[in-house]
Amino acid sequence: MLSLKKSFLRAAVFSRRSGQITVWLSLSFLVFLSLYLVCFNSVQKQNQRRKAEHSVEAGMFSLFSEFEPHLLDDYSLLYVDTSFRSGRESTDEICSHLWHFIENNAAAPSGSVSQGLHLQGVNVKNPVRATDGQGAVFYRQAIRVMKARTGISLAEDWDFQEKFREEAEEDTRCFLKDCETYEGSVENYESEDEEEALGSKVRQWDGLRNSFTLSAVLSDPSKLSERTINPEVIPSRRNLSQGMGCKDGSEDRIVQKQWFISYLCKYFKHAREMMGNEREGGYLDYQMEYIIGGNSSDRQNLEQVIQKLLLIRQGINYVFLISHPEFSGEAEALADILAGFTGSPALVKGLKHLILLGWACGESLVEVRQLLRGYELSAVKGTKDWQVSLSGLLELIVNPGKYDEQTQKQQGLKYEFFLRLLLSMKSAKVLAMRSLDIIEGELQLKKGCEKIHLDHCVESLTAQVWMEGIYLERTYGYD
């Protein structure tokens, strides 16, 4: 009996211990199962979010893949036309395109949308437009284009150009000051009897600088472009849609500006290459001249540029004449012959400088005509480079084409160089906005692009996307 009792007691103890272990395992299993389910749910949500992010980014990529191809082909610019060539920008239309792209990218291979990725809302905000910051957005992209295409060796040319610009401006100031001093000196001479005795030949020198016209500078005035534009509808004049782009403050720095001017020289046309090569269709032929002048016709812009070129060259040539005794002596001798009998040193001196001013003007006329014909001018003018003799100066007015061919070939400064010089004197805002005038005008002449406006062309924007329990905000654009 005793042995059976002991066996029974042991069995009872053993059964009690087995029950305790089962409860512990059950509780442990429940804890681990809960942790597993939490982790699984977290992984599932993160996977859904990752798929959502991928779908949104792919959708934005697809939207920006709809860039305007003519801007890329003609100007190497990347912009999305958010009006989709309709001329009227609509946020709903942009969201509709983006919704479609995101939905397609979120779909499974079977075509069904994965659980948790059903779109609930799409919105776009903060567009950065080409015209924002008074053209600063376009300005910066154009600089990036040139940096991608060009090396830093341009820096040497820019340093030279800046030095030449300063010298040219100083020479021009001296020239204008002397013009104010000596022009009218014959007509304002105190003695009417002696003035009458000077005769008409002397008075021809007074105001000679103003006697040259646009037709005198052109070898064949019939080849002059007669294209005009409507100034009321261009980007630089009309009210524009505003985006979030802005200036960064560096646009007017000389290096930045020279990068942009290099872009203009690469993609825009000018009078020397277009004269006589008329296009069947086109906006303005003298595009770089428009950026300088800002007038509504090719003729006005070219005339303004030529006047500036004449003025620059006149100042340089006048300084050259008075700094070389042989040329200055010729003018003084002629002044003595014409006015020496009056016995007035002041009148002789005034006439001498009028002759020098007229002489510099004639040389400048010849130089500008040669520039438009494709010739170059020496960076540093020497006596051998001087082309117009004093005796042949008055004849030049009647026959301005007499010196169209260079007998002493010069090298150094082309017409394009002087355009760069004049462009450098303009502000970044003027350069950018007038460039956009030309780009939009040329773009609207393309088939199907008649209603495109550059203030609807976007470089980047921000998308807001709502899915089931997921909110995403992504900014996408061209770098």
Side-chain angles (χ1 to χ4, degrees):
M1 291 293 293
L2 181 61
S3 63
L4 290 175
K5 186 176 181 179
K6 289 181 178 179
S7 298
F8 176 77
L9 291 175
R10 288 193 188 98
V13 172
F14 178 78
S15 299
R16 186 168 58 252
R17 288 177 181 176
S18 296
Q20 291 173 348
I21 293 173
T22 302
V23 171
W24 181 85
L25 286 175
S26 299
L27 292 174
S28 299
F29 178 75
L30 289 175
V31 171
F32 281 110
L33 180 61
S34 299
L35 179 63
Y36 171 78
L37 291 176
V38 169
C39 293
F40 179 79
N41 186 54
S42 176
V43 169
Q44 188 179 39
K45 286 184 176 181
Q46 289 299 321
N47 184 53
Q48 288 177 342
R49 186 175 183 84
R50 183 184 61 80
K51 288 182 179 179
E53 290 175 349
H54 173 76
S55 300
V56 171
E57 290 175 2
M60 293 288 283
F61 180 84
S62 299
L63 178 66
F64 277 84
S65 295
E66 295 187 314
F67 55 81
E68 175 50 53
H70 295 102
L71 285 176
L72 180 62
D73 293 341
D74 297 342
Y75 299 100
S76 299
L77 298 174
L78 283 168
Y79 290 104
V80 172
D81 175 23
T82 51
S83 73
F84 303 100
R85 296 190 176 182
S86 67
R88 297 182 64 183
E89 187 179 62
S90 170
T91 301
D92 291 340
E93 182 70 14
I94 303 170
C95 292
S96 175
H97 279 246
L98 187 56
W99 184 297
H100 173 72
F101 291 135
I102 294 175
E103 198 169 49
N104 285 345
N105 283 287
S110 62
S112 60
V113 179
S114 302
Q115 184 178 1
L117 297 182
H118 290 278
L119 276 174
Q120 295 179 339
V122 173
N123 185 42
V124 293
K125 64 177 185 177
N126 300 341
V128 176
R129 306 176 187 274
T131 55
D132 284 349
Q134 296 178 313
V137 173
F138 156 67
Y139 191 94
R140 291 194 291 270
Q141 187 173 148
I143 290 174
R144 292 198 298 270
V145 169
M146 288 312 297
K147 286 183 176 180
R149 298 178 61 95
T150 319
I152 60 173
S153 61
L154 284 175
E156 296 179 359
D157 295 336
W158 299 338
D159 292 340
F160 171 74
Q161 184 186 48
E162 178 67 9
K163 181 180 179 181
F164 182 86
R165 182 180 69 82
E166 293 174 356
E167 292 177 353
E169 288 179 348
E170 180 61 30
D171 291 344
T172 302
R173 280 193 292 269
C174 294
F175 169 75
L176 291 174
K177 182 179 179 181
D178 285 329
C179 284
E180 293 174 359
T181 302
Y182 296 110
E183 279 199 346
S185 60
V186 173
E187 294 170 348
N188 297 330
Y189 186 58
E190 293 180 358
S191 174
E192 294 182 2
D193 294 335
E194 291 183 356
E195 180 189 348
E196 187 64 28
L198 293 178
S200 60
K201 288 187 177 181
V202 174
R203 288 192 292 273
Q204 288 184 62
W205 298 98
D206 208 5
L208 182 64
R209 182 169 61 95
N210 299 319
S211 63
F212 297 112
T213 62
L214 178 62
S215 59
V217 177
L218 302 178
S219 300
D220 187 357
S222 65
K223 294 181 179 179
L224 185 65
S225 170
E226 299 295 340
R227 294 188 190 277
T228 61
I229 61 173
N230 180 4
E232 301 301 321
V233 298
I234 57 179
S236 61
R237 302 280 184 89
R238 71 169 187 263
N239 292 326
L240 301 172
S241 299
Q242 297 297 318
M244 299 302 295
C246 61
K247 293 185 175 183
D248 63 8
S250 67
E251 288 82 7
D252 275 308
R253 294 176 185 171
I254 183 169
V255 175
Q256 297 293 97
K257 186 180 290 187
Q258 292 303 326
W259 276 118
F260 185 75
I261 291 174
S262 297
Y263 175 85
L264 298 181
C265 292
K266 173 71 177 177
Y267 292 97
F268 288 71
K269 302 174 177 62
H270 56 73
R272 193 194 65 76
E273 64 177 330
M274 294 304 298
M275 202 167 293
N277 298 320
E278 295 183 0
R279 298 180 292 169
E280 291 184 3
Y283 191 60
L284 288 175
D285 281 342
Y286 309 157
Q287 297 175 353
M288 292 180 69
E289 286 80 2
Y290 168 78
I291 297 172
I292 296 169
N295 298 299
S296 58
S297 72
D298 277 335
R299 175 183 287 272
Q300 290 174 306
N301 291 318
L302 180 59
E303 185 171 15
Q304 186 169 335
V305 167
I306 285 177
Q307 287 174 350
K308 292 179 182 292
L309 290 184
L310 285 172
L311 193 62
I312 291 172
R313 294 307 301 176
Q314 284 167 8
I316 294 171
N317 291 330
Y318 174 69
V319 172
F320 174 87
L321 287 172
I322 62 176
S323 61
H324 286 72
E326 61 271 31
F327 294 99
S328 182
E330 286 186 51
E332 187 172 1
L334 180 57
D336 280 334
I337 294 172
L338 296 175
F341 71 92
T342 64
S344 172
L347 182 61
V348 173
K349 181 181 179 181
L351 183 57
K352 170 192 170 182
H353 282 277
L354 284 176
I355 292 171
L356 290 174
L357 291 171
W359 200 356
C361 178
E363 180 76 8
S364 302
L365 173 67
V366 168
E367 290 175 336
V368 174
R369 286 178 65 95
Q370 290 175 350
L371 286 173
L372 290 171
R373 288 171 63 85
Y375 286 98
E376 300 178 18
L377 301 180
S378 298
V380 180
K381 201 175 186 73
T383 55
K384 292 183 179 180
D385 299 320
W386 193 268
Q387 302 174 82
V388 181
S389 64
L390 183 57
S391 59
L393 181 58
L394 295 178
E395 181 187 352
L396 182 66
I397 300 176
V398 180
N399 182 21
K402 181 179 179 180
Y403 298 93
D404 279 355
E405 305 294 333
Q406 287 185 351
T407 55
Q408 178 74 26
K409 191 171 182 180
Q410 303 179 40
Q411 291 183 339
L413 307 180
K414 299 180 180 181
Y415 179 73
E416 291 85 347
F417 173 84
F418 290 97
L419 290 181
R420 290 183 68 110
L421 191 65
L422 296 175
L423 289 167
S424 299
M425 299 176 186
K426 299 293 181 181
S427 68
K429 169 196 169 183
V430 169
L431 294 178
M433 292 307 298
R434 289 181 181 174
S435 301
L436 290 173
D437 293 344
I438 294 292
I439 293 175
E440 183 176 281
E442 291 286 344
L443 185 62
Q444 289 178 349
L445 294 174
K446 306 284 186 182
K447 185 177 180 181
C449 301
E450 295 84 358
K451 297 181 179 180
I452 288 182
H453 296 112
L454 288 181
D455 52 326
H456 297 158
C457 292
V458 170
E459 184 180 76
S460 69
L461 55 77
T462 299
Q464 298 172 298
V465 180
W466 291 267
M467 294 182 181
E468 297 177 26
I470 299 175
Y471 169 75
L472 296 172
E473 186 171 307
R474 292 290 183 273
T475 300
Y476 198 93
Y478 302 113
D479 292 327

